[in-house]
Amino acid sequence: MTTVPSSALGLDVVPVAGYIGAEITGVDLRENLEDAVIADIRRALHEYKVVFFRDQEIGHAEQIAFARRFGKVTPAHPHEESPPEGFPEILPIDSRRYEKNLGRKRTSYDHSWHTDVTALVNPPAASILRSDILPPYGGDTTWTNLVTAYENLPKELRELADKIDIKHQFQTRAVEGSQRSRKVAEANLVAYHPAVRVHPVTGERALFVSPGFTRGAREIRGFSPEQSERILKLLWSEATRVEYTVRFRWAVGSVAFWDNRATAHLAIGDAGHLDHDRVLYRVTLEGDVPKGVDGRESELVSGQPFYGS
Ligand code: SIN
């Protein structure tokens, strides 16, 4: 069988920042894409860590079908109770919900740097986010390249990071004492992950420090909370240096696809006060249990592994 290079099929990959991010043009995500196109998107994802598509007219079903070409799709979220009817894989990121459930206006569930659900022992390998309703301005998302962050650390700090394990735990933003906060606490997710994980496909090492999930516990195994916090602050600031980042301006129909094994991201919290809705939909791909540079695996403390189908 002759394989057609995907460039011949119209796909183009254009980098958009110095260390991370590329825009992919010439693909219509509604279509059943050729294997060669999927392979090129996967290659671009591994090279650029986050890839962007514009002007995609897809709904939940097409988003899930596209995701399935890259791996098993998980349920929306370990703590999600009301995904859109008929689409248990879809996590709505919906400012209208946060106002109702969290008691305050915000445009995403979290406005701190994090990698998705790293409180799980097998955090999602990748996430695909599609925008639907957007504020007229504000509400951008930023990603950082954790491989670059690791590679640019001083050697001595890299050697320390290679050896340590950090506690990640889920923290709800639900109103204290509410039914949701009680439910989340009962089924809390906690795991220790190596601070440096080796990417199972590229072999690259990434600084895996997910501030949104490690800030609460502030625990590096073997260090006191004060020592842990000082080391974590240093690693968080290295992981999120502005030069390692790319900032994406959403438009209706934009899609971002990122590798959670090599990035962290931040939903910029600059639009909650604008009194305009922001609605996006996310799907995640089942992830592996991270491995450190010496092959040691992450450790489950509380909760269950999160599998897809
Ligand atoms: C996410 O963290 O998955 C959502 C990011 C966003 O709301 O921009």
Side-chain angles (χ1 to χ4, degrees):
M1 193 179 82
T2 327
T3 50
V4 184
S6 55
S7 53
L9 298 164
L11 180 144
D12 206 6
V13 180
V14 181
V16 291
Y19 286 112
I20 179 170
E23 186 161 331
I24 299 187
T25 58
V27 260
D28 182 342
L29 303 186
R30 285 174 304 191
E31 286 173 7
N32 183 19
L33 297 168
E34 303 261 356
D35 289 346
V37 174
I38 295 296
D40 267 13
I41 295 173
R42 193 192 302 274
R43 253 193 303 278
L45 178 70
H46 289 147
E47 181 168 356
Y48 296 103
K49 321 303 186 206
V50 54
V51 292
F52 307 111
F53 304 85
R54 297 273 187 195
D55 304 319
Q56 298 295 328
E57 292 177 19
I58 58 170
H60 298 331
E62 289 94 347
Q63 186 176 357
I64 295 164
F66 174 64
R68 277 203 207 293
R69 302 292 303 275
F70 298 90
K72 291 184 177 169
V73 177
T74 68
H77 188 279
H79 292 312
E80 174 60 38
E81 286 172 344
S82 46
E85 209 181 321
F87 298 101
E89 303 89 346
I90 295 279
L91 177 72
I93 291 171
D94 185 335
S95 55
R96 298 166 299 192
R97 283 178 141 199
Y98 304 132
E99 193 167 12
K100 199 163 136 247
N101 299 343
L102 308 182
R104 60 192 182 278
K105 194 106 188 161
R106 55 189 299 150
T107 48
S108 194
Y109 62 90
D110 184 19
H111 292 299
S112 64
W113 281 103
H114 65 278
T115 300
D116 286 329
V117 218
T118 59
L120 287 164
V121 72
N122 65 330
S127 304
I128 300 175
L129 186 63
R130 160 175 68 97
S131 56
D132 188 12
I133 301 173
L134 294 165
Y137 40 85
D140 297 356
T141 308
T142 300
W143 285 262
T144 187
N145 184 337
L146 299 177
V147 172
T148 304
Y150 174 79
E151 288 172 352
N152 286 348
L153 291 178
K155 180 173 163 287
E156 285 70 17
L157 188 52
R158 274 202 314 266
E159 286 171 0
L160 171 68
D162 284 348
K163 290 186 208 128
I164 58 180
D165 295 306
I166 306 178
K167 190 175 193 179
H168 294 235
Q169 74 182 29
F170 190 84
Q171 276 189 297
T172 178
R173 281 150 198 90
V175 180
E176 223 181 291
S178 65
Q179 199 191 16
R180 177 164 169 84
S181 86
R182 274 200 305 277
K183 274 184 134 168
V184 169
E186 275 162 25
N188 204 9
L189 304 172
V190 186
Y192 283 97
H193 294 298
V196 178
R197 72 177 292 184
V198 180
H199 196 288
V201 179
T202 65
E204 291 174 316
R205 296 177 176 192
L207 187 58
F208 194 56
V209 293
S210 197
F213 291 98
T214 56
R215 188 172 285 117
R218 50 176 202 147
E219 186 188 323
I220 298 176
R221 218 187 230 136
F223 291 81
S224 73
E226 291 72 25
Q227 291 166 335
S228 298
E229 185 158 16
R230 273 186 238 127
I231 299 169
L232 284 170
K233 274 189 173 154
L234 174 60
L235 297 179
W236 292 332
S237 65
E238 289 297 321
T240 58
R241 283 168 71 142
V242 78
E243 59 269 37
Y244 305 154
T245 67
V246 61
R247 178 171 175 155
F248 187 61
R249 174 89 199 104
W250 295 96
V252 173
S254 302
V255 173
F257 184 179
W258 64 92
D259 185 344
N260 278 309
R261 301 181 290 200
T263 61
H265 55 278
L266 170 73
I268 297 174
D270 64 346
H273 64 292
L274 294 176
D275 203 28
H276 198 287
D277 296 325
R278 180 179 187 268
V279 182
L280 302 96
Y281 297 103
R282 192 181 86 188
V283 297
T284 44
L285 299 181
E286 181 183 302
D288 49 314
V289 174
K291 283 201 174 94
V293 301
D294 55 2
R296 75 186 186 284
E297 291 198 342
S298 300
E299 187 187 312
L300 186 153
V301 178
S302 168
Q304 300 293 325
F306 196 49
Y307 297 122
S309 57

